[in-house]
Coordinates of all heavy atoms in Angstrom, one line a residue:
M1 N 0.8 -1.2 0.0 CA 0.0 0.0 0.0 C 0.9 1.3 0.0 O 0.5 2.3 -0.6 CB -0.9 0.0 1.2 CG -1.9 1.1 1.2 SD -2.9 1.2 -0.3 CE -4.5 1.3 0.4
A2 N 2.0 1.2 0.7 CA 2.9 2.3 0.7 C 3.4 2.7 -0.7 O 3.5 3.9 -1.1 CB 4.1 2.1 1.6
Q3 N 3.7 1.6 -1.5 CA 4.1 1.9 -2.9 C 3.0 2.6 -3.7 O 3.3 3.5 -4.5 CB 4.5 0.6 -3.6 CG 4.8 0.8 -5.1 CD 5.0 -0.5 -5.9 OE1 4.9 -1.6 -5.3 NE2 5.2 -0.3 -7.1
A4 N 1.8 2.2 -3.5 CA 0.6 2.8 -4.2 C 0.5 4.3 -3.9 O 0.3 5.1 -4.7 CB -0.7 2.1 -3.9
I5 N 0.6 4.6 -2.6 CA 0.5 6.0 -2.2 C 1.7 6.8 -2.7 O 1.4 7.9 -3.3 CB 0.4 6.1 -0.6 CG1 -0.9 5.4 -0.1 CG2 0.5 7.5 -0.1 CD1 -0.9 5.2 1.4
A6 N 2.9 6.3 -2.5 CA 4.1 7.1 -3.0 C 4.0 7.3 -4.5 O 4.3 8.4 -5.0 CB 5.3 6.4 -2.5
E7 N 3.7 6.2 -5.2 CA 3.7 6.3 -6.7 C 2.7 7.2 -7.2 O 2.9 8.0 -8.1 CB 3.6 4.9 -7.3 CG 3.8 4.9 -8.7 CD 3.8 3.4 -9.3 OE1 4.3 2.5 -8.6 OE2 3.4 3.3 -10.4
T8 N 1.5 7.2 -6.6 CA 0.4 8.1 -7.0 C 0.7 9.5 -6.7 O 0.4 10.4 -7.5 CB -0.9 7.6 -6.3 OG1 -1.2 6.3 -6.6 CG2 -2.1 8.5 -6.7
I9 N 1.3 9.8 -5.6 CA 1.7 11.2 -5.2 C 2.7 11.7 -6.3 O 2.6 12.8 -6.8 CB 2.2 11.3 -3.8 CG1 1.1 11.1 -2.8 CG2 2.9 12.6 -3.6 CD1 1.6 11.0 -1.4
F10 N 3.7 10.9 -6.6 CA 4.7 11.3 -7.6 C 4.0 11.5 -8.9 O 4.3 12.5 -9.6 CB 5.8 10.2 -7.7 CG 6.8 10.5 -8.8 CD1 7.8 11.4 -8.6 CD2 6.6 9.9 -10.0 CE1 8.7 11.7 -9.6 CE2 7.5 10.2 -11.0 CZ 8.6 11.1 -10.8
D11 N 3.1 10.6 -9.3 CA 2.5 10.7 -10.6 C 1.7 12.0 -10.7 O 1.7 12.7 -11.7 CB 1.6 9.5 -10.9 CG 2.4 8.2 -11.1 OD1 3.6 8.3 -11.3 OD2 1.7 7.2 -11.0
I12 N 0.9 12.3 -9.7 CA 0.1 13.5 -9.6 C 1.0 14.8 -9.7 O 0.7 15.7 -10.5 CB -0.8 13.6 -8.4 CG1 -1.9 12.5 -8.5 CG2 -1.4 15.0 -8.2 CD1 -2.6 12.3 -7.2
L13 N 2.1 14.8 -9.0 CA 3.0 15.9 -9.0 C 3.7 16.1 -10.4 O 3.8 17.2 -11.0 CB 4.1 15.8 -7.9 CG 3.6 16.0 -6.5 CD1 4.7 15.7 -5.5 CD2 3.0 17.3 -6.3
Y14 N 4.1 14.9 -11.0 CA 4.7 15.0 -12.3 C 3.7 15.5 -13.4 O 4.0 16.3 -14.2 CB 5.2 13.6 -12.7 CG 5.5 13.4 -14.2 CD1 6.5 14.1 -14.8 CD2 4.6 12.7 -15.0 CE1 6.7 14.0 -16.2 CE2 4.8 12.5 -16.3 CZ 5.9 13.2 -16.9 OH 6.1 13.1 -18.2
L15 N 2.5 14.9 -13.4 CA 1.5 15.3 -14.4 C 1.1 16.8 -14.2 O 1.0 17.5 -15.2 CB 0.3 14.4 -14.3 CG 0.5 13.0 -14.8 CD1 -0.8 12.2 -14.6 CD2 0.9 13.0 -16.3
G16 N 1.0 17.2 -13.0 CA 0.6 18.6 -12.7 C 1.7 19.5 -13.2 O 1.4 20.5 -13.8
F17 N 3.0 19.2 -12.9 CA 4.1 20.0 -13.4 C 4.2 20.0 -14.9 O 4.3 21.1 -15.5 CB 5.4 19.6 -12.8 CG 6.6 20.4 -13.3 CD1 6.8 21.7 -12.9 CD2 7.4 19.8 -14.3 CE1 7.8 22.4 -13.4 CE2 8.4 20.6 -14.8 CZ 8.7 21.8 -14.3
A18 N 4.1 18.9 -15.5 CA 4.3 18.8 -17.0 C 3.2 19.5 -17.7 O 3.5 20.3 -18.7 CB 4.3 17.3 -17.4
L19 N 2.0 19.3 -17.3 CA 0.8 20.0 -18.0 C 0.8 21.5 -17.7 O 0.6 22.3 -18.6 CB -0.5 19.4 -17.5 CG -0.7 17.9 -18.0 CD1 -1.9 17.3 -17.4 CD2 -0.8 17.9 -19.6
T20 N 1.1 21.9 -16.4 CA 1.1 23.3 -16.1 C 2.3 24.0 -16.9 O 2.1 25.1 -17.5 CB 1.3 23.5 -14.6 OG1 0.2 22.9 -13.9 CG2 1.3 25.0 -14.3
A21 N 3.5 23.5 -16.8 CA 4.6 24.1 -17.5 C 4.3 24.1 -19.0 O 4.6 25.1 -19.7 CB 5.9 23.3 -17.2
G22 N 3.8 23.0 -19.6 CA 3.6 23.0 -21.0 C 2.5 24.0 -21.5 O 2.8 24.7 -22.4
F23 N 1.4 24.1 -20.8 CA 0.4 25.0 -21.2 C 0.8 26.5 -20.9 O 0.4 27.4 -21.7 CB -1.0 24.7 -20.5 CG -1.7 23.5 -21.2 CD1 -1.9 22.4 -20.4 CD2 -2.1 23.6 -22.5 CE1 -2.5 21.3 -21.0 CE2 -2.7 22.5 -23.1 CZ -2.9 21.3 -22.3
T24 N 1.6 26.7 -19.9 CA 2.1 28.0 -19.6 C 3.0 28.5 -20.7 O 2.9 29.6 -21.2 CB 2.8 28.1 -18.2 OG1 1.9 27.7 -17.2 CG2 3.3 29.5 -18.0
M25 N 3.9 27.6 -21.1 CA 4.8 28.0 -22.2 C 4.1 28.1 -23.5 O 4.4 29.0 -24.3 CB 5.9 27.0 -22.3 CG 6.9 27.0 -21.2 SD 8.4 26.0 -21.5 CE 7.7 24.4 -21.8
L26 N 3.1 27.3 -23.7 CA 2.3 27.3 -25.0 C 1.5 28.6 -25.1 O 1.5 29.2 -26.1 CB 1.4 26.1 -25.0 CG 0.6 25.9 -26.3 CD1 1.5 25.7 -27.5 CD2 -0.3 24.7 -26.1
L27 N 0.9 29.0 -24.0 CA 0.0 30.2 -24.1 C 0.7 31.5 -23.9 O 0.3 32.5 -24.4 CB -1.1 30.0 -23.0 CG -2.0 28.8 -23.2 CD1 -3.0 28.7 -22.0 CD2 -2.8 28.9 -24.5
R28 N 1.8 31.5 -23.1 CA 2.5 32.8 -22.8 C 3.8 32.9 -23.4 O 4.5 33.9 -23.2 CB 2.7 32.9 -21.3 CG 1.3 33.0 -20.5 CD 1.6 33.3 -19.1 NE 0.3 33.3 -18.4 CZ 0.2 33.5 -17.1 NH1 1.3 33.6 -16.3 NH2 -1.0 33.5 -16.5
G29 N 4.2 31.9 -24.2 CA 5.6 32.0 -24.8 C 5.7 33.2 -25.8 O 4.8 33.4 -26.6
Q30 N 6.8 33.8 -25.7 CA 7.1 35.0 -26.5 C 7.7 34.7 -27.9 O 7.6 35.4 -28.8 CB 8.0 36.0 -25.8 CG 7.5 36.5 -24.5 CD 6.2 37.3 -24.7 OE1 6.2 38.1 -25.6 NE2 5.2 37.1 -23.8
T31 N 8.4 33.5 -27.9 CA 9.0 33.1 -29.2 C 8.3 31.8 -29.7 O 7.7 31.1 -28.9 CB 10.5 32.9 -29.0 OG1 10.7 31.8 -28.1 CG2 11.2 34.1 -28.5
K32 N 8.6 31.5 -31.0 CA 8.0 30.3 -31.6 C 8.6 29.1 -30.9 O 7.9 28.1 -30.7 CB 8.3 30.4 -33.1 CG 7.6 29.3 -33.8 CD 7.9 29.5 -35.3 CE 7.1 28.5 -36.1 NZ 7.2 28.7 -37.6
L33 N 9.9 29.1 -30.5 CA 10.6 28.0 -29.9 C 10.0 27.7 -28.6 O 9.7 26.5 -28.2 CB 12.1 28.3 -29.8 CG 12.9 27.2 -29.1 CD1 12.8 25.9 -29.9 CD2 14.3 27.6 -28.9
V34 N 9.7 28.7 -27.8 CA 9.1 28.5 -26.4 C 7.7 27.9 -26.6 O 7.3 26.9 -25.8 CB 9.0 29.8 -25.6 CG1 8.3 29.6 -24.3 CG2 10.5 30.3 -25.3
R35 N 6.9 28.3 -27.5 CA 5.6 27.8 -27.7 C 5.7 26.3 -28.2 O 4.9 25.5 -27.8 CB 4.8 28.6 -28.7 CG 4.4 30.0 -28.1 CD 3.4 30.7 -29.0 NE 3.9 31.0 -30.3 CZ 4.6 32.1 -30.7 NH1 4.9 33.0 -29.8 NH2 5.0 32.3 -31.9
K36 N 6.6 26.1 -29.1 CA 6.8 24.7 -29.6 C 7.2 23.8 -28.4 O 6.7 22.6 -28.3 CB 7.9 24.7 -30.6 CG 8.1 23.3 -31.3 CD 9.1 23.4 -32.4 CE 9.2 22.1 -33.1 NZ 10.2 22.1 -34.2
L37 N 8.1 24.2 -27.5 CA 8.5 23.4 -26.4 C 7.3 23.2 -25.4 O 7.2 22.2 -24.8 CB 9.7 24.1 -25.6 CG 11.0 24.0 -26.4 CD1 12.0 24.9 -25.6 CD2 11.5 22.6 -26.6
G38 N 6.5 24.2 -25.3 CA 5.3 24.1 -24.5 C 4.3 23.1 -25.0 O 3.7 22.3 -24.3
C39 N 4.2 23.1 -26.3 CA 3.3 22.1 -27.0 C 3.9 20.7 -26.8 O 3.1 19.7 -26.5 CB 3.2 22.4 -28.5 SG 2.1 21.3 -29.4
M40 N 5.2 20.5 -26.8 CA 5.8 19.2 -26.6 C 5.6 18.8 -25.2 O 5.3 17.6 -24.9 CB 7.3 19.3 -27.0 CG 7.5 19.5 -28.4 SD 9.3 19.9 -28.8 CE 10.1 18.4 -28.3
A41 N 5.8 19.7 -24.2 CA 5.6 19.3 -22.8 C 4.1 19.0 -22.5 O 3.9 18.0 -21.8 CB 6.1 20.5 -21.9
A42 N 3.2 19.7 -23.1 CA 1.8 19.4 -22.8 C 1.4 18.1 -23.5 O 0.7 17.3 -22.9 CB 0.9 20.5 -23.4
L43 N 1.9 17.8 -24.7 CA 1.7 16.5 -25.3 C 2.3 15.4 -24.5 O 1.6 14.3 -24.3 CB 2.3 16.5 -26.7 CG 2.2 15.2 -27.5 CD1 0.7 15.0 -27.9 CD2 3.0 15.3 -28.8
L44 N 3.5 15.5 -24.0 CA 4.1 14.5 -23.2 C 3.3 14.3 -21.9 O 3.0 13.1 -21.5 CB 5.5 14.9 -22.8 CG 6.3 13.9 -21.9 CD1 6.6 12.7 -22.7 CD2 7.6 14.6 -21.5
G45 N 2.9 15.3 -21.2 CA 2.1 15.1 -20.0 C 0.7 14.5 -20.3 O 0.3 13.6 -19.5
A46 N 0.1 14.9 -21.4 CA -1.2 14.3 -21.7 C -1.1 12.9 -22.1 O -1.9 12.0 -21.6 CB -1.9 15.1 -22.8
G47 N -0.1 12.5 -22.8 CA 0.2 11.1 -23.2 C 0.5 10.3 -22.0 O 0.0 9.1 -21.8
D48 N 1.3 10.8 -21.1 CA 1.7 10.0 -19.9 C 0.5 9.8 -19.0 O 0.4 8.9 -18.2 CB 2.8 10.7 -19.1 CG 4.1 10.5 -19.7 OD1 4.2 9.7 -20.6 OD2 5.1 11.2 -19.3
A49 N -0.5 10.8 -19.0 CA -1.7 10.6 -18.2 C -2.5 9.4 -18.6 O -3.1 8.7 -17.7 CB -2.6 11.8 -18.3
F50 N -2.4 9.0 -19.8 CA -3.1 7.8 -20.3 C -2.5 6.5 -19.7 O -3.2 5.5 -19.6 CB -3.1 7.7 -21.8 CG -4.2 8.5 -22.5 CD1 -3.9 9.8 -22.9 CD2 -5.5 8.0 -22.7 CE1 -4.9 10.5 -23.5 CE2 -6.4 8.7 -23.3 CZ -6.2 10.0 -23.7
H51 N -1.3 6.6 -19.3 CA -0.6 5.5 -18.7 C -0.6 5.5 -17.2 O -0.8 4.5 -16.5 CB 0.9 5.4 -19.2 CG 1.8 4.5 -18.4 ND1 1.7 3.2 -18.4 CD2 2.8 4.8 -17.6 CE1 2.6 2.6 -17.7 NE2 3.3 3.6 -17.1
L52 N -0.4 6.7 -16.6 CA -0.2 6.8 -15.2 C -1.5 6.8 -14.4 O -1.6 6.2 -13.3 CB 0.6 8.1 -14.9 CG 2.0 8.1 -15.4 CD1 2.6 9.5 -15.1 CD2 2.8 7.0 -14.8
L53 N -2.6 7.4 -14.9 CA -3.9 7.3 -14.2 C -4.4 5.9 -14.1 O -4.8 5.5 -13.0 CB -4.9 8.3 -14.9 CG -4.5 9.8 -14.8 CD1 -5.5 10.6 -15.5 CD2 -4.3 10.2 -13.4
P54 N -4.4 5.1 -15.2 CA -4.9 3.7 -15.0 C -4.0 2.9 -14.1 O -4.4 2.1 -13.3 CB -4.9 3.1 -16.4 CG -5.0 4.3 -17.3 CD -4.3 5.4 -16.6
R55 N -2.7 3.2 -14.1 CA -1.8 2.5 -13.2 C -2.1 2.9 -11.7 O -2.1 2.0 -10.9 CB -0.3 2.9 -13.5 CG 0.7 2.2 -12.7 CD 2.1 2.4 -13.2 NE 3.1 1.8 -12.3 CZ 3.4 0.6 -12.3 NH1 2.9 -0.3 -13.1 NH2 4.3 0.1 -11.4
S56 N -2.3 4.1 -11.4 CA -2.6 4.5 -10.1 C -4.0 3.9 -9.6 O -4.1 3.4 -8.5 CB -2.7 6.0 -10.0 OG -1.5 6.6 -10.2
Y57 N -4.9 3.9 -10.5 CA -6.2 3.2 -10.2 C -6.0 1.7 -9.9 O -6.5 1.2 -9.0 CB -7.2 3.4 -11.4 CG -8.4 2.6 -11.2 CD1 -9.5 3.1 -10.4 CD2 -8.7 1.4 -11.9 CE1 -10.6 2.4 -10.3 CE2 -9.8 0.7 -11.8 CZ -10.8 1.2 -10.9 OH -12.0 0.5 -10.8
A58 N -5.2 1.1 -10.7 CA -4.9 -0.4 -10.6 C -4.2 -0.7 -9.2 O -4.5 -1.7 -8.6 CB -4.1 -0.9 -11.7
L59 N -3.3 0.2 -8.8 CA -2.6 0.0 -7.6 C -3.5 0.0 -6.4 O -3.3 -0.6 -5.4 CB -1.5 1.0 -7.4 CG -0.3 0.8 -8.4 CD1 0.7 2.0 -8.2 CD2 0.5 -0.5 -8.1
F60 N -4.6 0.8 -6.5 CA -5.5 0.9 -5.3 C -6.7 0.0 -5.4 O -7.5 -0.1 -4.5 CB -6.0 2.4 -5.2 CG -5.0 3.3 -4.6 CD1 -4.3 4.2 -5.4 CD2 -4.8 3.3 -3.2 CE1 -3.4 5.1 -4.8 CE2 -3.9 4.1 -2.7 CZ -3.2 5.0 -3.5
T61 N -6.8 -0.7 -6.5 CA -8.0 -1.7 -6.6 C -7.4 -3.1 -6.7 O -6.6 -3.5 -5.8 CB -8.8 -1.4 -7.9 OG1 -8.0 -1.4 -9.0 CG2 -9.4 0.0 -7.8
Q62 N -7.8 -3.9 -7.6 CA -7.5 -5.3 -7.7 C -6.0 -5.6 -8.1 O -5.6 -6.8 -8.1 CB -8.4 -6.1 -8.6 CG -9.8 -6.1 -8.2 CD -10.7 -5.0 -8.6 OE1 -10.2 -4.2 -9.5 NE2 -11.8 -4.8 -8.1
G63 N -5.3 -4.6 -8.5 CA -3.9 -4.9 -8.9 C -3.7 -4.7 -10.4 O -4.6 -4.5 -11.2
L64 N -2.4 -4.7 -10.8 CA -2.0 -4.4 -12.1 C -2.5 -5.5 -13.1 O -2.9 -5.2 -14.2 CB -0.5 -4.3 -12.2 CG 0.1 -3.2 -11.4 CD1 1.6 -3.2 -11.5 CD2 -0.4 -1.8 -11.9
E65 N -2.5 -6.8 -12.7 CA -2.9 -7.9 -13.6 C -4.4 -7.8 -13.9 O -4.8 -8.1 -15.0 CB -2.6 -9.2 -12.9 CG -1.1 -9.5 -12.7 CD -0.5 -8.8 -11.5 OE1 -1.3 -8.5 -10.6 OE2 0.7 -8.6 -11.4
A66 N -5.2 -7.4 -12.9 CA -6.6 -7.4 -13.1 C -7.0 -6.2 -14.0 O -8.1 -6.2 -14.6 CB -7.3 -7.2 -11.8
N67 N -6.2 -5.2 -14.2 CA -6.5 -4.1 -15.0 C -5.6 -4.0 -16.3 O -5.2 -3.0 -16.7 CB -6.3 -2.8 -14.2 CG -7.3 -2.7 -13.1 OD1 -8.5 -2.5 -13.4 ND2 -6.9 -2.9 -11.9
A68 N -5.2 -5.2 -16.8 CA -4.3 -5.3 -17.9 C -4.8 -4.6 -19.2 O -4.0 -3.9 -19.9 CB -4.0 -6.7 -18.2
A69 N -6.1 -4.6 -19.4 CA -6.6 -4.0 -20.7 C -6.4 -2.5 -20.6 O -5.9 -1.9 -21.6 CB -8.0 -4.3 -20.9
A70 N -6.8 -1.9 -19.5 CA -6.6 -0.4 -19.4 C -5.2 0.0 -19.4 O -4.8 1.0 -20.0 CB -7.3 0.1 -18.1
L71 N -4.3 -0.8 -18.7 CA -2.9 -0.5 -18.8 C -2.3 -0.6 -20.1 O -1.4 0.2 -20.6 CB -2.2 -1.4 -17.8 CG -2.5 -1.1 -16.3 CD1 -1.9 -2.2 -15.4 CD2 -2.0 0.3 -15.9
G72 N -2.8 -1.6 -20.9 CA -2.3 -1.8 -22.3 C -2.6 -0.7 -23.2 O -1.8 -0.2 -24.0
I73 N -3.9 -0.2 -23.1 CA -4.3 0.9 -23.9 C -3.5 2.2 -23.5 O -3.1 3.0 -24.3 CB -5.8 1.2 -23.7 CG1 -6.6 0.0 -24.4 CG2 -6.3 2.5 -24.4 CD1 -8.1 0.0 -24.1
G74 N -3.3 2.4 -22.2 CA -2.5 3.5 -21.7 C -1.1 3.5 -22.2 O -0.6 4.5 -22.7
K75 N -0.5 2.3 -22.2 CA 0.9 2.2 -22.7 C 0.9 2.5 -24.2 O 1.9 3.1 -24.8 CB 1.5 0.8 -22.4 CG 1.8 0.7 -21.0 CD 2.4 -0.7 -20.8 CE 2.8 -0.9 -19.3 NZ 3.4 -2.3 -19.1
F76 N -0.1 2.0 -24.9 CA -0.2 2.3 -26.4 C -0.3 3.8 -26.7 O 0.4 4.3 -27.5 CB -1.4 1.5 -26.9 CG -1.7 1.8 -28.4 CD1 -0.8 1.3 -29.4 CD2 -2.8 2.5 -28.9 CE1 -1.0 1.5 -30.7 CE2 -3.0 2.7 -30.2 CZ -2.1 2.2 -31.1
V77 N -1.2 4.5 -26.0 CA -1.3 5.9 -26.2 C 0.0 6.6 -25.9 O 0.4 7.5 -26.6 CB -2.5 6.5 -25.5 CG1 -2.6 8.0 -25.6 CG2 -3.8 5.9 -26.0
T78 N 0.6 6.3 -24.7 CA 1.8 6.9 -24.3 C 2.9 6.7 -25.3 O 3.7 7.6 -25.6 CB 2.3 6.3 -22.9 OG1 1.2 6.7 -22.0 CG2 3.6 6.9 -22.5
S79 N 3.0 5.5 -25.9 CA 4.0 5.2 -26.9 C 3.8 6.0 -28.2 O 4.8 6.5 -28.8 CB 4.1 3.7 -27.3 OG 2.9 3.3 -28.0
I80 N 2.6 6.3 -28.5 CA 2.3 7.2 -29.7 C 2.8 8.6 -29.4 O 3.5 9.2 -30.2 CB 0.8 7.1 -30.1 CG1 0.5 5.7 -30.6 CG2 0.5 8.2 -31.1 CD1 -1.0 5.5 -30.9
T81 N 2.4 9.1 -28.2 CA 2.8 10.5 -27.9 C 4.3 10.6 -27.7 O 4.9 11.6 -28.1 CB 2.1 11.0 -26.7 OG1 2.3 10.2 -25.6 CG2 0.6 11.1 -26.9
M82 N 5.0 9.6 -27.2 CA 6.4 9.6 -27.1 C 7.1 9.6 -28.5 O 8.1 10.3 -28.7 CB 6.9 8.4 -26.3 CG 6.7 8.6 -24.8 SD 7.5 9.9 -24.0 CE 9.2 9.3 -24.1
T83 N 6.5 8.9 -29.4 CA 7.0 8.9 -30.8 C 6.9 10.2 -31.4 O 7.8 10.7 -32.1 CB 6.3 7.8 -31.6 OG1 6.5 6.5 -31.0 CG2 6.8 7.8 -33.0
I84 N 5.7 10.9 -31.2 CA 5.5 12.2 -31.8 C 6.5 13.2 -31.1 O 7.0 14.1 -31.7 CB 4.0 12.7 -31.6 CG1 3.1 11.8 -32.4 CG2 3.8 14.1 -31.9 CD1 1.7 11.9 -32.1
F85 N 6.7 13.0 -29.8 CA 7.5 13.9 -29.0 C 8.9 13.9 -29.5 O 9.6 15.0 -29.6 CB 7.5 13.5 -27.5 CG 8.2 14.4 -26.6 CD1 7.7 15.6 -26.2 CD2 9.5 14.0 -26.1 CE1 8.4 16.4 -25.3 CE2 10.2 14.9 -25.3 CZ 9.7 16.1 -24.9
T86 N 9.4 12.8 -29.9 CA 10.8 12.7 -30.3 C 10.8 13.0 -31.8 O 11.2 13.6 -32.5 CB 11.4 11.3 -30.1 OG1 10.6 10.3 -30.7 CG2 11.5 11.0 -28.6

């Protein structure tokens, strides 16, 4: 249970930072490069959310094995956004 709590706190902090930083740079960026980096950070955070939110849910419910379908879809979406990111 301690792993579930610690991992979920980390995931929430990471997603909050990635999305906040990304959208802030995207909306308030003065140069084209800053806006592009903001778009990349927001895309990365949004894609990671598809993987991290089902994982956090699974840790607090029946476990990772019981939620394999949701975790698989999340990993798939994350892999697509990571490919676009790079």
Side-chain angles (χ1 to χ4, degrees):
M1 186 55 133
Q3 176 189 355
I5 294 170
E7 191 172 327
T8 302
I9 290 171
F10 175 81
D11 292 345
I12 290 170
L13 292 173
Y14 162 70
L15 290 174
F17 175 76
L19 292 171
T20 301
F23 284 117
T24 299
M25 289 190 302
L26 182 63
L27 298 174
R28 295 186 183 176
Q30 299 297 317
T31 65
K32 190 173 183 177
L33 178 61
V34 173
R35 288 191 301 273
K36 185 175 183 179
L37 291 173
C39 181
M40 291 170 64
L43 177 67
L44 180 68
D48 283 349
F50 278 92
H51 165 69
L52 295 176
L53 294 178
R55 182 171 173 85
S56 293
Y57 174 78
L59 288 172
F60 283 104
T61 59
Q62 292 89 13
L64 299 175
E65 296 82 19
N67 294 289
L71 292 170
I73 293 169
K75 286 182 183 180
F76 177 68
V77 172
T78 298
S79 68
I80 291 172
T81 57
M82 286 296 287
T83 302
I84 294 170
F85 183 79
T86 57

